[in-house]
Amino acid sequence: PQASLPEPSVIPEQGWHVGHFFYRFRRDQLDAPLSAEVCQQFCAALAPSDELMPERLASYWTSGHEADFGVIVMDPHPGKVNAIHQALLAPGIGRWIEPAWSFTSVSEVSEYVPSVESYRERLIRQGDAPDSPELAAKVSAYERRLPMMNRNRLQPDIPDWPAACFYPMNKSRVPGANWFTEPFSLRNQMMAEHAQSGMAFAGKVSQLISVGVGLDDWEWMVTLWGRNPEYLKEIVYKMRFDEASAKYGEFGPFYVGYRADGREILDHCRMTG
Amino acid sequence: PQASLPEPSVIPEQGWHVGHFFYRFRRDQLDAPLSAEVCQQFCAALAPSDELMPERLASYWTSGHEADFGVIVMDPHPGKVNAIHQALLAPGIGRWIEPAWSFTSVSEVSEYVPSVESYRERLIRQGDAPDSPELAAKVSAYERRLPMMNRNRLQPDIPDWPAACFYPMNKSRVPGANWFTEPFSLRNQMMAEHAQSGMAFAGKVSQLISVGVGLDDWEWMVTLWGRNPEYLKEIVYKMRFDEASAKYGEFGPFYVGYRADGREILDHCRMTG
Amino acid sequence: PQASLPEPSVIPEQGWHVGHFFYRFRRDQLDAPLSAEVCQQFCAALAPSDELMPERLASYWTSGHEADFGVIVMDPHPGKVNAIHQALLAPGIGRWIEPAWSFTSVSEVSEYVPSVESYRERLIRQGDAPDSPELAAKVSAYERRLPMMNRNRLQPDIPDWPAACFYPMNKSRVPGANWFTEPFSLRNQMMAEHAQSGMAFAGKVSQLISVGVGLDDWEWMVTLWGRNPEYLKEIVYKMRFDEASAKYGEFGPFYVGYRADGREILDHCRMTG
Amino acid sequence: PQASLPEPSVIPEQGWHVGHFFYRFRRDQLDAPLSAEVCQQFCAALAPSDELMPERLASYWTSGHEADFGVIVMDPHPGKVNAIHQALLAPGIGRWIEPAWSFTSVSEVSEYVPSVESYRERLIRQGDAPDSPELAAKVSAYERRLPMMNRNRLQPDIPDWPAACFYPMNKSRVPGANWFTEPFSLRNQMMAEHAQSGMAFAGKVSQLISVGVGLDDWEWMVTLWGRNPEYLKEIVYKMRFDEASAKYGEFGPFYVGYRADGREILDHCRMTG
Amino acid sequence: PQASLPEPSVIPEQGWHVGHFFYRFRRDQLDAPLSAEVCQQFCAALAPSDELMPERLASYWTSGHEADFGVIVMDPHPGKVNAIHQALLAPGIGRWIEPAWSFTSVSEVSEYVPSVESYRERLIRQGDAPDSPELAAKVSAYERRLPMMNRNRLQPDIPDWPAACFYPMNKSRVPGANWFTEPFSLRNQMMAEHAQSGMAFAGKVSQLISVGVGLDDWEWMVTLWGRNPEYLKEIVYKMRFDEASAKYGEFGPFYVGYRADGREILDHCRMTG
């Protein structure tokens, strides 16, 4: 079968590499604001030239002492994603910046996204008559929507909203609550319920679930973009009661950020003169 | 439905952003007391000008090695809350200060605060006759008190007492003690019992429960202000036996502080000449 | 009821503030022994003038890499306790000292210390005849001893023995071993058994149990003073089989120290020329 | 029996010492790119002279903030493995490099690799007729393959693929999921199922399982080399549902790396001028 | 009974103080190899003059990034043990050395070492006839061996083998696997089985189990000396299936080291010119 294998490559056939990076400014040797040159280098690292610009990049100032700012980056090439991180730590500006946390993942279409056929079956289970024109219309609409939905999962656009929160998660495997020993049908049903909860926040919260399995210390990375930070609190609180989260979710560190370009981050953090 | 959505904003419709920040002075390069200029900058960071002053701000020296001092800040705008943190780390004073811990949350009216109607039902369950004038009087009093109580939850005043303690908490989700899979009625009953425990400390302890779900690593942040530090010990010990805490409470780091302005903190920490 | 409340104060009505502090010397920039002046400052911090001297203070050099030395301090005023910590970190000596761990607690008379009446009842349960003169004699002796025993709990003297160990603890709240959901009678019985274990070490080990609930990250702090370090090992090992510890005890970091004044600590740690 | 014991030695009779090392560049004092001389020393440490060259050595730039690069090294002599680590920290380059994580293990043939006889028995259990020529052919082929397979386990070649991931693991011993109290037959069966899962990735992923028991903090170290990073994600996700992992696997930190020599690492990390 | 108590002392009546210390060289400010003078001080700290020499001392270079080298020290006086640690951190060499981990314990004869009488009873339970001369001979041999075996437990000689591993452990107290609530007879039986496992490695592995209860963060410290590092792996792996370990053992960090004097450590770590 080796003959039919694709050429070795760092670019996934499906999905993009995703990097989340959080940083603190080093204050312990900082006697004065950063020089104009260093500020310039910082801003350039967050707004690279066309050639170095990854497919997606957004920056945020972040709340609390764990981090001063964060960046989310997406690109087919892992080197292009990590280059943003390396630019922020390059000689010059790098001396004044300390990495606080990061997460390495890839975007994907989850196995719980229903195919057209399984979507049809679910509607029937939920009461639609198998031969009804209503069912046919719904299925047909889903079939038309699915490619764009999947593109949004693999290559999501970053909404122009002011707030975002970021956190990694695992599904638990403790005795009595082991996600990975549950049958697919049950996991699928719980994920559908979970997706339903999220739909109540359409227009208020937009999400990206990327996969860290095999790449970083948690299994998934959750990115929530919010029209208002209170929706971030509300959706996470509400979803915590879904069985998929209540019983099986294990959550890592949370970061909340507010959209800002390099100059705004420097200003908020009083790094400018 | 998007048409009816509010404009994107960082200001919650209900509640304020709350920041708890704890710091240590950096001693490893400190050969002499802080200069008068730096002391001045420190005091100004804790007592900003009217324009920068958030709605609430109180500072404390803290006991033990984890932190030398702490600040609690509240405001509708998250940038105004975090600006206090950034002012303490700004070039000049920032070189001598190391963040030790922080927590990002928002104030809210919890879902367990009874509405007027559910308050009435609870009294009846506890034995009041449905048509009795006593019941009507109690309900009417509650109805009058509720708006002010809710304002105290959303925009609390900081009492003028000398001691305070601060700690974050989760509700557990381990098999056998999973808060989030319990029905609302049971959770509500446990929270009412818990509130009852707290009432025994009226006049001795005042509290703020703010929400970190989706914003920081713990689900709630507890702030207790005490007329005497021994009441802080007593209320936390007593409440630990309530089922809501005994069975479901998971607690993070505790900080105990004593109210002090910038100058008093500097003096206590021997940072002045 | 507010009218009858005591004035706001930082001084508990019962018990003293207790501080345990552990430190390492910073070696990474130390090219030579500490100067005579700095050594002098160190010794003075551990032997303050009468005015600054807290009610109790004892210092120890400690074994292992976590800490070079430790101090236990007790006083009615929390500022006086923490002032010892701040004096060790004050400009001059503070540059060479790094805090390693600390614990903030207050002394108290535990709810499991039997009252005269419950002591009498316990003796009867254990076989004493209710009307016997033996019982009356025992009860009367207990009644005479109790005030002094309680004073020893609230304001303990530090014995003049060479060894001591220090560790914090919690009572567990995991499903299947939840101390806080057990009835008082059962907890009381287990604590009585535990106290009995300790009595076998009379003259060999002396103890202080202070309370950190609401003040620091663990619920209790245990201080054991030993006539010989092997008794510390023996008592902790023996008590670990008591149900109160075996089933419910959760233990934090352990520090073992040997009584030493400032000069002896400096000598042992080779900080003097 | 002592007479028949081999001479004391640091070289195992079977298997090689394996070292995994991960590092960050120290940015906090780096005002300019590393000097040409230091860059040269770095590259030499990763490509030592014949005499110092261990049997296997491969280097990777790594994704995220935990590490900038990593190295895997194998040799019969533990000093030769650790010498690579010491060369990277030697005076000159060592000042600019901070170790982030490492793992010490040895290669082995696991007790779950079937012998020829147990391979034959397994095939019979799976339906092969004991006297069939098909069975004989399969067994004979296995017998021919086994020495080379075992050599690949003890002295594996590193495939020329661009991606790799590295993580340590334990088998759990919690009540209800205790690997070490299961009978060998059950463990063997689960490991066979697990191996089966892996075979689906032939040509896409190649693995080394080395043993850390008694040598480092985890029981096993997993090295996966991938033709494409997405196969790394896929195989780890798929295998997590195998009972051996789902119920018993405990996983440590994950590092993902991309094959690079010293110069490429320096360039990616912007350490060159 | 106080009259009959021994004088206060830091020297145990039985057993020696044991110190395990692990260190890293500080590379972040090291521009050149250590000076000859500092190297000399390092070697002298590991080979002190007769007066300062503790009863036992052995040093090792260690594998991996956690530590560069380690020392095990034993003496009746705790100050003499800790003095080795302090000599390594003394002004001069101390600037270049960072403690990585340590453990404080004392040697003892475990309560599970059978007395002559219980040894006899065990043999009878295992089938020896109570009046047989074989039994008498075995018991008599045990009686002759026991004092020397106990001396080896209290004051062990360090074998002249090249490899060693070091790790601390606890016995678990979780619901369902609580060592400390098991009866002595069952614990004794499991420890006998465990000792039996170890005997298979006679001549290959030698061990010291010292006690940290009340003195450090783990209950026991295990030191294994190996004729070959692969025996260390083998014995720990084999013993992990014993019920005493499989069900009740909790293990801390593992360090593996190779016997080396001061000069050899400096050379391996490239600290010499």
Side-chain angles (χ1 to χ4, degrees):
Chain A
Q2 199 128 348
S4 65
L5 285 167
E7 280 303 290
S9 171
V10 300
I11 296 176
E13 287 183 76
Q14 261 216 333
W16 282 349
H17 292 272
V18 183
H20 290 79
F21 303 100
F22 296 88
Y23 304 89
R24 282 183 294 268
F25 289 106
R26 287 187 196 271
R27 323 279 177 149
D28 57 338
Q29 293 181 30
L30 197 65
D31 286 319
L34 296 177
S35 70
E37 189 185 4
V38 165
C39 287
Q40 168 65 23
Q41 187 188 355
F42 178 81
C43 293
L46 293 178
S49 65
D50 284 3
E51 189 190 359
L52 302 175
M53 182 55 112
E55 292 286 343
R56 300 286 183 279
L57 188 162
S59 55
Y60 304 83
W61 70 260
T62 49
S63 210
H65 83 298
E66 287 287 358
D68 285 313
F69 68 97
V71 195
I72 176 171
V73 187
M74 291 181 240
D75 199 81
H77 197 294
K80 215 162 174 182
V81 170
N82 212 55
I84 299 297
H85 173 59
Q86 293 294 344
L88 283 163
L89 298 183
I93 180 64
R95 177 173 178 177
W96 308 108
I97 292 182
E98 178 182 18
W101 195 73
S102 71
F103 199 81
T104 297
S105 57
V106 295
S107 63
E108 70 162 10
V109 176
S110 143
E111 61 175 318
Y112 305 110
V113 171
S115 66
V116 173
E117 185 50 33
S118 59
Y119 183 77
R120 186 173 175 277
E121 283 161 12
R122 187 190 291 175
L123 291 175
I124 292 169
R125 274 199 313 277
Q126 292 172 354
D128 274 303
D131 303 322
S132 68
E134 289 80 9
L135 176 66
K138 286 182 197 170
V139 168
S140 162
Y142 183 73
E143 190 163 16
R144 280 193 309 276
R145 270 202 328 269
L146 192 56
M148 196 197 63
M149 285 165 61
N150 283 345
R151 188 196 153 278
N152 276 343
R153 289 176 179 114
L154 293 168
Q155 306 175 5
D157 289 310
I158 297 178
D160 197 25
W161 288 341
C165 80
F166 313 94
Y167 58 95
M169 61 172 296
N170 281 349
K171 291 298 192 196
S172 75
R173 291 180 293 112
V174 299
N178 192 326
W179 178 263
F180 290 89
T181 57
E182 302 291 3
F184 178 79
S185 58
L186 181 56
R187 285 182 279 126
N188 199 35
Q189 183 184 315
M190 288 190 281
M191 291 308 282
E193 175 208 19
H194 203 44
Q196 203 71 29
S197 288
M199 282 174 206
F201 288 86
K204 293 178 168 178
V205 175
S206 174
Q207 72 166 24
L208 165 67
I209 311 295
S210 48
V211 191
V213 177
L215 307 174
D216 211 327
D217 299 358
W218 296 83
E219 293 164 354
W220 286 277
M221 181 73 199
V222 181
T223 303
L224 300 178
W225 290 285
R227 176 181 284 267
N228 187 302
E230 80 185 324
Y231 303 144
L232 301 174
K233 177 202 78 168
E234 284 170 14
I235 192 174
V236 177
Y237 184 64
K238 182 165 190 304
M239 292 183 116
R240 190 143 302 177
F241 290 94
D242 294 344
E243 195 179 3
S245 284
K247 188 170 170 191
Y248 299 101
E250 294 177 345
F251 302 99
F254 282 76
Y255 296 88
V256 62
Y258 296 94
R259 191 72 178 265
D261 62 21
R263 175 61 48 179
E264 289 163 336
I265 289 169
L266 291 171
D267 283 347
H268 178 74
C269 296
R270 305 184 62 148
M271 288 293 117
T272 48
Chain B
Q2 201 129 347
S4 65
L5 286 167
E7 281 302 291
S9 171
V10 300
I11 297 175
E13 287 183 77
Q14 260 216 333
W16 283 349
H17 291 273
V18 183
H20 290 78
F21 303 101
F22 296 88
Y23 305 90
R24 282 184 294 270
F25 289 105
R26 288 187 196 270
R27 323 280 176 149
D28 57 337
Q29 293 181 29
L30 197 66
D31 286 319
L34 297 177
S35 71
E37 190 183 4
V38 164
C39 287
Q40 168 64 25
Q41 188 188 355
F42 178 80
C43 293
L46 293 178
S49 66
D50 284 3
E51 189 190 357
L52 302 174
M53 181 56 110
E55 291 286 344
R56 299 286 183 279
L57 187 163
S59 54
Y60 304 84
W61 69 260
T62 49
S63 210
H65 84 298
E66 286 287 357
D68 285 314
F69 68 97
V71 195
I72 176 171
V73 187
M74 292 180 239
D75 199 80
H77 198 294
K80 215 161 174 183
V81 170
N82 212 55
I84 299 297
H85 173 60
Q86 293 295 344
L88 283 163
L89 298 183
I93 179 64
R95 176 172 178 180
W96 308 108
I97 293 181
E98 178 182 17
W101 195 74
S102 70
F103 199 82
T104 297
S105 57
V106 295
S107 62
E108 70 162 11
V109 176
S110 143
E111 61 176 318
Y112 305 111
V113 171
S115 66
V116 173
E117 185 49 33
S118 59
Y119 183 77
R120 186 175 175 276
E121 284 161 11
R122 186 191 291 174
L123 291 176
I124 292 170
R125 275 199 312 277
Q126 292 172 353
D128 273 303
D131 302 322
S132 66
E134 290 79 10
L135 176 65
K138 287 181 196 169
V139 168
S140 161
Y142 184 74
E143 190 163 16
R144 280 193 309 275
R145 271 202 328 269
L146 192 56
M148 196 197 62
M149 285 165 61
N150 283 345
R151 188 197 152 279
N152 277 343
R153 289 176 178 113
L154 294 167
Q155 307 175 6
D157 289 309
I158 297 178
D160 196 25
W161 288 340
C165 80
F166 313 94
Y167 58 95
M169 61 173 296
N170 281 350
K171 291 297 193 196
S172 75
R173 292 181 292 112
V174 299
N178 193 326
W179 177 262
F180 289 90
T181 57
E182 303 291 3
F184 179 79
S185 58
L186 181 57
R187 285 182 279 126
N188 200 34
Q189 183 183 316
M190 289 190 279
M191 292 307 282
E193 175 208 19
H194 203 44
Q196 202 70 30
S197 288
M199 282 175 207
F201 288 86
K204 294 178 167 178
V205 176
S206 174
Q207 72 167 23
L208 165 67
I209 311 296
S210 48
V211 191
V213 177
L215 307 174
D216 210 327
D217 299 359
W218 296 83
E219 293 165 353
W220 285 279
M221 181 73 198
V222 181
T223 303
L224 300 178
W225 291 286
R227 177 181 283 267
N228 187 301
E230 79 186 324
Y231 303 144
L232 302 173
K233 176 202 78 168
E234 284 170 15
I235 193 174
V236 178
Y237 184 65
K238 181 165 191 305
M239 292 182 116
R240 191 144 301 178
F241 290 94
D242 295 343
E243 194 179 2
S245 284
K247 187 169 171 193
Y248 300 100
E250 295 177 344
F251 302 98
F254 282 77
Y255 296 88
V256 61
Y258 296 94
R259 191 74 178 266
D261 63 20
R263 176 60 49 178
E264 289 163 335
I265 290 169
L266 291 171
D267 283 347
H268 178 74
C269 296
R270 305 183 62 149
M271 287 294 117
T272 47
Chain C
Q2 201 129 348
S4 65
L5 286 167
E7 281 303 291
S9 172
V10 300
I11 296 176
E13 287 183 77
Q14 260 215 333
W16 284 349
H17 292 273
V18 183
H20 290 78
F21 303 100
F22 296 88
Y23 305 89
R24 281 184 295 269
F25 289 105
R26 288 186 196 272
R27 323 279 177 149
D28 58 337
Q29 294 182 29
L30 197 65
D31 286 320
L34 297 178
S35 71
E37 190 184 3
V38 164
C39 287
Q40 168 64 24
Q41 188 189 355
F42 178 79
C43 293
L46 292 179
S49 66
D50 284 3
E51 190 190 357
L52 302 174
M53 182 55 110
E55 290 286 344
R56 299 286 183 279
L57 187 162
S59 55
Y60 304 83
W61 70 260
T62 49
S63 210
H65 83 298
E66 287 286 358
D68 285 314
F69 68 97
V71 195
I72 174 171
V73 187
M74 292 180 238
D75 198 80
H77 198 293
K80 216 161 173 182
V81 170
N82 212 55
I84 300 297
H85 173 60
Q86 293 294 344
L88 283 163
L89 299 182
I93 179 64
R95 177 173 177 179
W96 308 109
I97 292 181
E98 179 182 17
W101 195 74
S102 71
F103 198 82
T104 297
S105 57
V106 294
S107 62
E108 70 162 10
V109 176
S110 143
E111 61 175 319
Y112 304 112
V113 171
S115 67
V116 173
E117 186 49 32
S118 60
Y119 182 78
R120 187 175 175 277
E121 284 161 11
R122 187 190 291 174
L123 291 175
I124 292 170
R125 275 200 312 278
Q126 292 172 352
D128 275 303
D131 302 322
S132 67
E134 290 78 10
L135 176 65
K138 287 181 196 170
V139 168
S140 162
Y142 184 73
E143 190 163 16
R144 280 193 308 274
R145 272 201 328 269
L146 192 56
M148 197 197 61
M149 285 164 62
N150 283 346
R151 189 196 151 278
N152 277 343
R153 289 176 178 113
L154 293 168
Q155 307 175 6
D157 290 310
I158 298 178
D160 196 24
W161 288 340
C165 81
F166 313 94
Y167 59 94
M169 61 173 297
N170 280 350
K171 291 300 192 193
S172 75
R173 291 181 293 111
V174 299
N178 192 326
W179 177 263
F180 290 90
T181 58
E182 302 291 2
F184 178 79
S185 59
L186 181 56
R187 285 181 279 126
N188 200 33
Q189 183 184 315
M190 289 190 279
M191 291 308 281
E193 176 209 17
H194 203 44
Q196 203 70 32
S197 287
M199 280 175 208
F201 288 86
K204 293 178 168 178
V205 176
S206 175
Q207 72 166 24
L208 166 66
I209 312 295
S210 47
V211 191
V213 177
L215 307 174
D216 211 327
D217 299 358
W218 297 82
E219 292 164 355
W220 285 278
M221 181 73 198
V222 181
T223 303
L224 299 177
W225 290 285
R227 178 181 283 267
N228 186 302
E230 79 186 323
Y231 303 143
L232 302 173
K233 177 202 79 169
E234 284 170 16
I235 193 173
V236 178
Y237 184 64
K238 181 165 191 304
M239 291 181 116
R240 192 144 299 179
F241 290 93
D242 296 343
E243 194 179 2
S245 284
K247 187 170 170 191
Y248 300 100
E250 295 177 345
F251 302 98
F254 282 76
Y255 296 87
V256 61
Y258 296 95
R259 192 72 177 267
D261 63 20
R263 176 60 49 178
E264 289 163 335
I265 290 168
L266 291 171
D267 283 347
H268 177 74
C269 296
R270 306 183 62 150
M271 287 295 117
T272 48
Chain D
Q2 199 128 349
S4 65
L5 286 166
E7 282 302 291
S9 171
V10 300
I11 296 176
E13 287 183 77
Q14 261 214 332
W16 283 349
H17 291 273
V18 183
H20 290 78
F21 303 100
F22 297 87
Y23 304 89
R24 281 183 294 268
F25 289 105
R26 287 187 197 271
R27 324 279 178 151
D28 56 338
Q29 293 182 30
L30 198 66
D31 286 319
L34 297 177
S35 71
E37 188 185 6
V38 164
C39 287
Q40 168 65 23
Q41 187 188 356
F42 178 79
C43 292
L46 292 179
S49 66
D50 284 3
E51 189 191 359
L52 301 175
M53 181 56 111
E55 290 287 343
R56 299 286 183 279
L57 188 162
S59 55
Y60 305 83
W61 70 260
T62 49
S63 210
H65 83 297
E66 287 287 358
D68 285 313
F69 68 97
V71 195
I72 176 171
V73 186
M74 292 181 240
D75 199 80
H77 198 294
K80 216 161 173 182
V81 170
N82 211 56
I84 299 298
H85 173 60
Q86 293 295 343
L88 283 163
L89 298 183
I93 179 64
R95 176 172 180 181
W96 307 108
I97 293 182
E98 178 182 19
W101 195 74
S102 71
F103 199 82
T104 298
S105 57
V106 295
S107 62
E108 70 161 11
V109 176
S110 143
E111 61 175 318
Y112 305 111
V113 171
S115 66
V116 173
E117 185 49 33
S118 59
Y119 183 76
R120 186 173 175 277
E121 284 161 11
R122 188 190 291 174
L123 291 175
I124 292 170
R125 275 200 313 276
Q126 292 173 354
D128 274 303
D131 302 321
S132 67
E134 290 79 9
L135 176 65
K138 286 181 195 168
V139 168
S140 162
Y142 184 73
E143 191 163 14
R144 280 193 309 274
R145 271 200 330 268
L146 192 56
M148 197 196 63
M149 285 165 61
N150 283 345
R151 188 196 152 279
N152 277 344
R153 289 176 178 113
L154 293 168
Q155 306 175 7
D157 289 311
I158 298 178
D160 197 24
W161 288 340
C165 81
F166 313 94
Y167 59 94
M169 61 172 297
N170 281 349
K171 291 297 193 195
S172 75
R173 292 181 292 111
V174 299
N178 192 326
W179 178 262
F180 290 90
T181 57
E182 302 291 3
F184 178 78
S185 59
L186 181 57
R187 285 181 280 126
N188 199 34
Q189 185 183 314
M190 288 190 281
M191 291 308 283
E193 175 208 19
H194 204 43
Q196 203 69 31
S197 288
M199 280 175 208
F201 288 85
K204 293 179 168 177
V205 176
S206 174
Q207 72 167 24
L208 165 66
I209 310 297
S210 48
V211 191
V213 176
L215 307 174
D216 211 328
D217 299 358
W218 297 83
E219 294 164 354
W220 286 278
M221 181 73 199
V222 181
T223 303
L224 300 177
W225 290 285
R227 178 180 281 268
N228 187 302
E230 81 186 320
Y231 302 144
L232 302 174
K233 176 202 79 169
E234 284 170 15
I235 192 174
V236 178
Y237 184 64
K238 182 165 189 305
M239 290 183 116
R240 191 144 300 178
F241 289 94
D242 295 343
E243 195 179 2
S245 284
K247 188 170 169 191
Y248 299 100
E250 295 178 344
F251 302 99
F254 282 76
Y255 295 88
V256 61
Y258 296 95
R259 191 72 177 265
D261 63 20
R263 176 61 48 180
E264 289 163 336
I265 290 169
L266 291 171
D267 283 346
H268 177 75
C269 296
R270 307 185 59 148
M271 287 294 116
T272 48
Chain E
Q2 199 129 350
S4 65
L5 286 167
E7 282 302 291
S9 172
V10 300
I11 297 176
E13 287 182 77
Q14 262 215 331
W16 283 349
H17 292 273
V18 183
H20 290 77
F21 303 101
F22 296 87
Y23 304 89
R24 281 184 294 268
F25 289 105
R26 288 187 196 272
R27 323 278 178 150
D28 57 339
Q29 293 183 30
L30 196 66
D31 287 319
L34 296 177
S35 71
E37 190 184 4
V38 164
C39 287
Q40 168 65 23
Q41 187 189 356
F42 178 79
C43 293
L46 292 179
S49 66
D50 285 3
E51 190 191 356
L52 301 175
M53 181 56 110
E55 291 286 342
R56 299 286 183 281
L57 188 163
S59 55
Y60 304 83
W61 70 260
T62 49
S63 210
H65 84 297
E66 286 286 357
D68 285 313
F69 67 97
V71 195
I72 175 170
V73 187
M74 291 181 239
D75 198 80
H77 197 294
K80 217 161 173 182
V81 170
N82 211 55
I84 299 298
H85 173 61
Q86 293 295 343
L88 283 163
L89 299 182
I93 179 64
R95 177 172 178 181
W96 308 108
I97 293 182
E98 179 183 17
W101 194 74
S102 71
F103 198 82
T104 297
S105 56
V106 294
S107 62
E108 70 161 11
V109 177
S110 142
E111 61 175 319
Y112 305 110
V113 170
S115 67
V116 173
E117 186 49 33
S118 59
Y119 183 77
R120 187 174 173 277
E121 284 161 11
R122 188 190 291 173
L123 291 176
I124 292 169
R125 275 199 314 277
Q126 293 173 353
D128 275 302
D131 302 320
S132 67
E134 290 78 10
L135 176 65
K138 286 181 196 169
V139 168
S140 163
Y142 184 74
E143 191 163 13
R144 280 192 310 274
R145 272 199 330 266
L146 191 56
M148 197 197 62
M149 285 165 61
N150 282 345
R151 188 196 151 279
N152 277 344
R153 289 176 178 112
L154 293 167
Q155 307 175 6
D157 291 309
I158 297 178
D160 197 23
W161 288 341
C165 80
F166 312 94
Y167 59 95
M169 61 173 297
N170 280 350
K171 291 298 192 195
S172 75
R173 292 181 294 112
V174 298
N178 192 327
W179 177 263
F180 290 90
T181 58
E182 302 292 3
F184 178 79
S185 58
L186 181 57
R187 285 181 279 126
N188 199 34
Q189 184 184 316
M190 289 189 279
M191 291 308 282
E193 175 208 18
H194 203 44
Q196 202 71 30
S197 288
M199 281 175 209
F201 288 85
K204 293 178 169 179
V205 176
S206 174
Q207 72 166 25
L208 165 67
I209 311 296
S210 48
V211 191
V213 177
L215 307 174
D216 211 327
D217 299 358
W218 297 83
E219 293 164 354
W220 285 278
M221 181 72 198
V222 181
T223 303
L224 299 177
W225 291 285
R227 178 181 283 267
N228 186 301
E230 80 186 322
Y231 303 144
L232 301 174
K233 176 202 79 168
E234 284 171 15
I235 193 174
V236 178
Y237 184 63
K238 181 164 190 304
M239 291 182 116
R240 192 145 298 178
F241 289 95
D242 295 343
E243 194 179 2
S245 283
K247 187 169 169 192
Y248 299 100
E250 295 177 345
F251 302 100
F254 283 75
Y255 296 88
V256 61
Y258 296 95
R259 191 72 177 266
D261 63 20
R263 175 63 46 179
E264 289 163 336
I265 290 169
L266 291 171
D267 283 347
H268 177 74
C269 296
R270 306 184 61 150
M271 287 294 117
T272 48

